[in-house]
Structures are given as C-alpha cells and as structure tokens.
Amino acid sequence: MGTVYLIITDGLGAGVQEDSHVYGDEGCNTLGHVSEVTGCQLPNLEQLGLGNIIPLASIPPAVNPQASYGKMREVSSGKDSTTGHWGMAGVKIDQPFPTYPNEFPEEVLQSFLEITSAPGILANKPWSGTDVIDSFGKEHLMSAHTEGFVFMNLIDTDQLYGHRNDAEGYGESLREFDRGLPAILKKMNPDDTLIITKDHGNDLTTPGTDHSWEFVPLI
C-alpha cells in the first residue's frame, strides 16, 4: 500500500447530533456558521465535495466531486481532541483520560514504543506546537517515505480562532488550508490515500468558547 495522509482540521463540526441538548449545544454548526458569517470560498475543498456534505452558504456542492464524502458521528463520552482522535481509530472512550502536565513517564513511552514499533520519541515536553516544529521539524520530516501513515492535526482553527469566537480568523485559516491542498495532492502517488476530517465541533457563533457536540465532515 502507499501512504495514508490523515488531516484533521481541528474543531470544524458539521451540525449538531441528535443528543446535542445533553451538552448544551443545540443549534451548533461550526462549518455552516463559518461559511455563513465569513462567506469564505474554498475552491479546492469544494471540488473534493465539502459542499456536498451539508448545505453551505458560500461553498456550493460539486457536480462531480473528486472524492468520496460524508459525515461521521461522535460516539465517545467527550468532545475533547484526544477523544475525537481515538474515536477515528475505532477506540470508544467511556472514562476520562489521565493527564501528564509535565511529560509522559518512561513506562508510558516504553509501552507506546512496544505497541507501535515506532523508532523513537521526539521532544516529550508540553511545548508550544510551533516551538516544537522549530526545534524538531527537520528531524521529523516523513518526505522520503514510500508507504506509511502521516497524521496532521491543524489546530489553528480550534486553538486560535474557535476558542476565541474569531469568525474572520477562522475563515482565513480555512482559506489558507484550501490554498495548500494542491501542493499536497500533487505530492501524492496513485496508491496513496488522503483523508480529511475533524475531531469535534467548536461553533464560534455561540456565547461560549467550548467545543460543541457535532457530526464531523469526512472527505
């Protein structure tokens, strides 16, 4: 098999689930409201079928979408990012995660390496994501790989804009991602797979700044 590229646009939900009232998230629709408020046009995501998933004010459905598309239901008890990521991997979470505010202990790292057969660990510090990239980005870069799994969590939409209810910033962040898509697609080989999805919602048009209990779009 080729390489699987899994890209998460953090916090970009696609409308509330039926039990949204349990979380106090009635009426939330992150993608729909960002489209409505900002009028952001995303031509590359549009061609892949983003506008075919739910009705969007600024992103029409593609007549012949270049990708398969749909939306996924959150099933775990929680709407944090880690719970969403584990859910994508088929792991349902019924209890809260332990937290490690300083670093992962050695026994956790060793178990991780044994289970995954990963070649090692970089950083293991609760650093800023951009600082980690500055320090370890070159060492970590997966361009020479001919097969494998690449996981990219694009957190700006959630961390910088969703939690701050910044609709314009959110829309521009989506435009930036859309502009970068052709370079990703050009780099892919015929037997590679690209998956674009989200881990939860974060409707920035609501009074609160928490994540929202929504379906997540899938391309």
Side-chain angles (χ1 to χ4, degrees):
M1 61 178 292
T3 298
V4 175
Y5 297 92
L6 174 58
I7 302 178
I8 310 301
T9 312
D10 205 303
L12 191 62
V16 290
Q17 299 187 180
E18 297 86 346
D19 57 347
S20 62
H21 62 279
V22 176
Y23 295 87
D25 290 333
E26 300 97 321
C28 288
N29 185 339
T30 308
L31 177 57
H33 288 156
V34 169
S35 172
E36 180 181 350
V37 171
T38 68
C40 63
Q41 296 181 330
L42 308 172
N44 296 304
L45 286 167
E46 177 185 320
Q47 291 178 23
L48 294 178
L50 183 64
N52 298 70
I53 300 173
I54 60 173
L56 298 172
S58 62
I59 306 165
V63 177
N64 295 302
Q66 297 176 358
S68 302
Y69 59 87
K71 60 183 180 180
M72 299 191 296
R73 180 186 302 276
E74 304 268 11
V75 297
S76 293
S77 299
K79 49 184 180 176
D80 59 277
S81 293
T82 305
T83 296
H85 296 170
W86 281 42
M88 293 174 204
V91 180
K92 184 178 179 181
I93 305 300
D94 295 315
Q95 60 185 10
F97 284 105
T99 57
Y100 303 97
N102 299 313
E103 62 183 22
F104 291 113
E106 186 62 28
E107 59 268 24
V108 171
L109 296 182
Q110 287 305 315
S111 295
F112 174 81
L113 293 174
E114 290 172 9
I115 292 170
T116 63
S117 300
I121 299 290
L122 290 175
N124 189 28
K125 296 288 184 182
W127 289 353
S128 158
T130 53
D131 289 342
V132 169
I133 292 172
D134 288 341
S135 299
F136 293 97
K138 290 183 179 179
E139 185 176 353
H140 191 256
L141 189 62
M142 295 175 268
S143 293
H145 284 194
T146 56
E147 60 180 48
F149 179 76
V150 178
F151 177 89
M152 288 171 276
N153 186 39
L154 307 180
I155 197 171
D156 283 4
T157 44
D158 185 63
Q159 177 175 279
L160 297 183
Y161 307 114
H163 284 301
R164 290 164 174 78
N165 290 345
D166 181 352
E168 292 301 327
Y170 205 121
E172 180 53 37
S173 185
L174 291 178
R175 293 185 189 99
E176 182 180 9
F177 171 51
D178 190 76
R179 290 192 294 268
L181 262 179
I184 297 174
L185 294 171
K186 184 177 180 180
K187 188 176 180 61
M188 293 177 63
N189 295 315
D191 57 348
D192 291 343
T193 301
L194 174 64
I195 302 171
I196 303 172
T197 188
K198 332 298 172 185
D199 47 359
H200 50 70
N202 193 340
D203 193 327
L204 64 182
T205 66
T206 59
T209 61
D210 194 12
H211 295 161
S212 45
W213 186 247
E214 302 183 45
F215 289 100
V216 291
L218 172 68
I219 292 176

